[in-house]
Amino acid sequence: MIHTFIFDVDGTIVDTEASIFKGLDAVLREYAGREATPEDMRAVFGRPGMEGLQSLGFTPEEAAKLHPKWSTLSKSYADSVQIFAGMEDTLRQLKENNHLLGIVTSKTKESYALNITPFGLDDYFDVIITSSDTEEHKPSGQPLTECLRRLGITEHEAIYIGDSIYDNQCARNAAVAFGLAEWGSHTTEGFDADHIFKAPEDILSLV
């Protein structure tokens, strides 16, 4: 029986797509001599930032240098970031009904603190797993398995809710049910979801 709800962050709890894209565009213009494309965004979204940069052709050393620049640039576009409508109310209702809540994100601890903590949602969550907490990252199931371990529950008691194929694969690799945040993915094509949620409040149908 599902009583624990674990969330991705970008594209699931907060709409960061525009800020991340603008930051990436600034990095690519300065260091690659080209504009960012939608294909670039699909390649990096939902993955740890350094892995994403390497997928775009940067060396590990270059990625290590550029990742904090990208994070800082994205933060400068914070006015375009907002919590998805209905999300905070959904988290509040889940918490009031004594459900365990967790986060598994590809953001580093520093990036999470810089870009997400200011929204004031951290107190809703019992466990927060960033890419700084595990050796392996999404699509590996290790981050989600570590979250389950810290929560003290089994994989059958939880659902992982996210918007990217990497979230889907992470859930499958951890043997956890997957709920697609369609408000962030904008499509169901290519996903293998146990539940599809069109809006955050739809999650409450599992309560």
Side-chain angles (χ1 to χ4, degrees):
M1 179 180 176
I2 292 173
H3 61 70
T4 299
F5 297 80
I6 304 172
F7 295 83
D8 171 51
V9 173
D10 294 325
T12 302
I13 293 177
V14 294
D15 186 359
T16 54
E17 186 171 357
S19 68
I20 290 173
F21 183 81
K22 290 176 181 177
L24 180 63
D25 183 61
V27 166
L28 292 181
R29 284 174 184 270
E30 183 172 355
Y31 296 96
R34 67 178 182 86
E35 298 178 358
T37 67
E39 289 73 24
D40 294 329
M41 194 62 183
R42 283 192 286 271
V44 304
F45 208 66
R47 303 172 69 176
M50 286 184 58
E51 287 184 16
L53 288 168
Q54 290 177 60
S55 77
L56 299 182
F58 292 104
T59 66
E61 294 75 19
E62 290 171 334
K65 174 185 175 183
L66 295 178
H67 182 243
K69 292 180 181 291
W70 180 15
S71 181
T72 300
L73 285 165
S74 296
K75 177 65 175 177
S76 70
Y77 298 108
D79 58 338
S80 65
V81 178
Q82 57 186 350
I83 303 170
F84 281 106
M87 176 53 70
E88 186 165 8
D89 284 343
T90 296
L91 295 175
R92 183 181 298 109
Q93 289 189 56
L94 290 172
K95 201 66 179 174
E96 288 175 351
N97 283 280
N98 299 314
H99 292 284
L100 291 175
L101 301 182
I103 280 177
V104 169
T105 176
S106 292
K107 287 185 175 297
T108 63
K109 181 179 180 180
E110 293 75 19
S111 179
Y112 180 91
L114 179 68
N115 295 294
I116 305 303
T117 295
F119 285 99
L121 301 177
D122 288 5
D123 287 346
Y124 288 111
F125 299 99
D126 300 283
V127 170
I128 296 173
I129 299 293
T130 70
S131 64
S132 304
D133 292 303
T134 58
E135 292 185 2
E136 296 180 13
H137 309 117
K138 294 186 285 187
S140 167
Q142 187 181 94
L144 189 49
T145 298
E146 176 63 13
C147 186
L148 298 178
R149 186 189 71 80
R150 295 190 190 186
L151 287 168
I153 63 168
T154 68
E155 60 270 22
H156 305 296
E157 298 173 281
I159 184 170
Y160 184 44
I161 300 167
D163 67 300
S164 80
I165 192 65
Y166 302 108
D167 299 325
N168 196 161
Q169 292 168 347
C170 176
R172 289 289 171 254
N173 289 329
V176 171
F178 177 66
L180 177 62
E182 191 177 352
W183 63 87
S185 69
H186 309 301
T187 182
T188 60
E189 185 175 350
F191 287 94
D192 171 31
D194 299 288
H195 301 275
I196 296 174
F197 305 117
K198 292 187 176 298
E201 53 267 28
D202 294 343
I203 297 168
L204 298 173
S205 66
L206 297 184
V207 175

